Amino acid sequence: MDKTLTQIEDFRSLVTSDTPMFDTRAPIEFIQGAFPNTQNIPLMSDKERELVGTCYKNKGQEQAIVLGHELVQGEAKQARLNAWLKFIKKHPDGALYCFRGGMRSQITQEWIYEATSIDYPRLKGGYKALRRYLIDETDRIMNKITPVVIGGQTGCGKTLLLDKIHQQIDLEGLANHRGSAFGNTTTSQPTQIAFENELAIELIKKQDYSHLIFEDEGANVGTVHIPDCVKNKTSQADLILLEATTQERIEVSMNAYVIHMHDNFINQNTENGFDNFANYWLRSLEKIQKRLGLKRYKIMKSEVALALNDYQNTNNFDGFLPIVKSLLVDYYDPMYNYQIQKKLDRVVFKGNSQEVLDYIHHLSIS
């Protein structure tokens, strides 16, 4: 075809506007890592991609292209075209991409144009170019902005506080994990690549703030690793300590780890939701068995079993109150007190939720 079809090079506008995209790579490539607002509508299946790849290695590009067209023709081609057109109808301002912005996205783009005269744009350089851009932007922005870190004892409400601040990067939210042995949610964590991509996009959207607020984290949040440029900068940043009473921390923890977790498990699976909630508590407790010691672990495991049984009989979670209090005071607080001693020279402010919000407001206008 004679017409030169559109390619997108302005990646910043692409990610800040949450442009919907479809990914023409094979499913096996997509699940390893993708971008937000992206749907996998492949040109070739995993098996077809494997066959074409083998042909390319043995017989060269020309024969591989011929084989690709043989594999994806007739009803198979029409089915894929229909799926692309359905996406385009829903997202007329979207885009498409393949791995390097080469044959797969070009063929997809041409087939769409030939069928509809729609010039649906593709990413120049494809997935690889956008991924490189996001990695570079993460590093650049972290060197440009001033991070401020919020710390505090387990259950003091750091996540609740972050939710009230716009100039924040919620690492735990992006990682879909609360950063502790009990940090799993009812859904799986993203892949490392997907986490890094989403983090980069959040940084790009908020890079015009002079200060960005992060929660105090370790090197990992669950199974995902915080990029070194983020970890290195935040580990040296000013530290704000959010303070709360033990009773306030028990209430926050009961809501997060008992009541809301139970409700989420039930909403996800009505039939097996309670069993999944019970398993979540027992598995989480098992993760800290060595730190608790065998005797204390066995006692707490029995207490959890009783609390679960009480809830089934009374529809009341009060049996978890002493368990949550013991975990906070006897387990998490000693670890926190040990760790915070290493960071006292970085502490610039301490206060309750409102006082911390006022301090951060002053940062944003100064």
Side-chain angles (χ1 to χ4, degrees):
M1 58 177 293
D2 296 329
K3 180 177 172 61
T4 301
L5 298 176
T6 303
Q7 296 189 63
I8 293 176
E9 298 182 64
D10 182 2
F11 290 162
R12 178 172 179 174
S13 295
L14 185 85
V15 298
T16 55
S17 62
D18 296 323
T19 300
M21 297 182 284
F22 73 83
D23 185 329
T24 68
R25 295 177 301 160
I28 195 171
E29 297 171 278
F30 183 80
I31 62 173
Q32 292 170 357
F35 306 114
N37 309 303
T38 305
Q39 185 177 337
N40 186 213
I41 318 177
L43 173 65
M44 294 185 290
S45 67
D46 291 335
K47 183 63 177 175
E48 289 162 351
R49 170 181 172 268
E50 183 182 356
L51 291 170
V52 170
T54 301
C55 181
Y56 180 87
K57 289 177 184 177
N58 296 332
K59 299 180 180 180
Q61 184 184 48
E62 190 174 330
Q63 287 299 310
I65 293 171
V66 171
L67 176 60
H69 282 281
E70 289 175 358
L71 292 171
V72 186
Q73 61 176 314
E75 291 183 5
K77 176 180 175 180
Q78 190 61 48
R80 286 162 214 196
L81 183 59
N82 290 343
W84 299 330
L85 296 181
K86 183 178 179 181
F87 183 94
I88 292 168
K89 184 177 181 180
K90 188 175 181 180
H91 305 291
D93 298 322
L96 64 92
Y97 64 87
C98 65
F99 183 60
R100 291 188 179 89
M103 292 302 301
R104 284 184 286 181
S105 58
Q106 186 178 339
I107 289 169
T108 300
Q109 197 180 31
E110 289 173 355
W111 286 359
I112 290 167
Y113 183 77
E114 288 165 2
T116 64
S117 296
I118 295 172
D119 180 6
Y120 205 66
R122 76 180 193 269
L123 303 194
K124 185 171 184 178
Y127 169 87
K128 190 175 182 181
L130 180 54
R131 169 80 173 142
R132 182 73 259 165
Y133 168 78
L134 294 177
I135 291 171
D136 291 345
E137 283 295 275
T138 298
D139 191 61
R140 182 187 68 79
I141 293 166
M142 287 307 302
N143 282 319
K144 170 191 167 190
I145 57 94
T146 301
V148 178
V149 174
I150 295 181
Q153 295 167 298
T154 300
C156 67
K158 297 184 288 292
T159 300
L160 296 175
L161 180 72
L162 284 177
D163 288 342
K164 299 176 182 177
I165 303 168
H166 188 261
Q167 64 193 84
Q168 53 94 357
I169 302 294
D170 184 1
L171 295 171
E172 292 186 358
L174 295 172
N176 194 30
H177 195 281
R178 286 189 293 263
S180 71
F182 291 82
N184 294 91
T185 70
T186 56
T187 53
S188 61
Q189 288 193 254
T191 64
Q192 180 67 31
I193 290 172
F195 169 72
E196 291 173 4
N197 289 343
E198 292 214 44
L199 170 58
I201 290 169
E202 279 297 293
L203 287 168
I204 291 166
K205 288 179 177 179
K206 296 175 180 178
Q207 64 178 297
D208 291 334
Y209 287 109
S210 61
H211 296 76
L212 283 178
I213 314 300
F214 296 78
E215 187 173 338
D216 195 12
E217 303 287 354
N220 301 291
V221 183
T223 59
V224 299
H225 175 74
I226 297 174
D228 289 343
C229 65
V230 177
K231 189 59 199 165
N232 292 341
K233 197 78 181 285
T234 56
S235 65
Q236 301 170 31
D238 286 350
L239 180 60
I240 298 170
L241 296 184
L242 175 61
E243 299 178 324
T245 67
T246 300
Q247 189 54 46
E248 288 170 336
R249 293 168 58 214
I250 292 171
E251 183 178 338
V252 167
S253 299
M254 282 290 294
N255 281 328
Y257 299 101
V258 180
I259 297 168
H260 291 161
M261 282 299 291
H262 169 266
D263 292 348
N264 289 341
F265 274 114
I266 295 297
N267 290 336
Q268 186 186 57
N269 187 327
T270 306
E271 185 177 349
N272 300 313
F274 184 81
D275 289 340
N276 293 338
F277 169 71
N279 288 333
Y280 154 78
W281 258 90
L282 293 170
R283 283 197 302 268
S284 299
L285 201 61
E286 191 175 351
K287 291 176 188 175
I288 60 173
Q289 177 180 343
K290 288 184 179 179
R291 285 184 176 271
L292 285 172
L294 185 59
K295 182 178 179 181
R296 191 154 56 134
Y297 167 71
K298 286 184 175 179
I299 291 170
M300 194 163 283
K301 184 179 179 182
S302 296
E303 290 173 342
V304 169
L306 286 172
L308 290 166
N309 188 59
D310 284 348
Y311 176 78
Q312 285 184 299
N313 293 329
T314 66
N315 204 35
N316 190 307
F317 277 124
D318 285 352
F320 276 93
L321 285 167
I323 299 167
V324 168
K325 182 177 181 180
S326 178
L327 284 169
L328 291 175
V329 175
D330 301 325
Y331 177 73
Y332 282 107
D333 283 0
M335 288 195 296
Y336 170 80
N337 293 336
Y338 173 75
Q339 292 293 332
I340 199 63
Q341 291 301 315
K342 305 174 185 177
K343 306 174 184 178
L344 289 178
D345 61 326
R346 292 168 44 207
V347 176
V348 294
F349 188 80
K350 298 179 183 179
N352 62 31
S353 181
Q354 187 56 55
E355 289 167 342
V356 169
L357 285 173
D358 291 341
Y359 181 84
I360 290 171
H361 177 68
H362 172 74
L363 282 180
S364 65
I365 62 175
S366 61

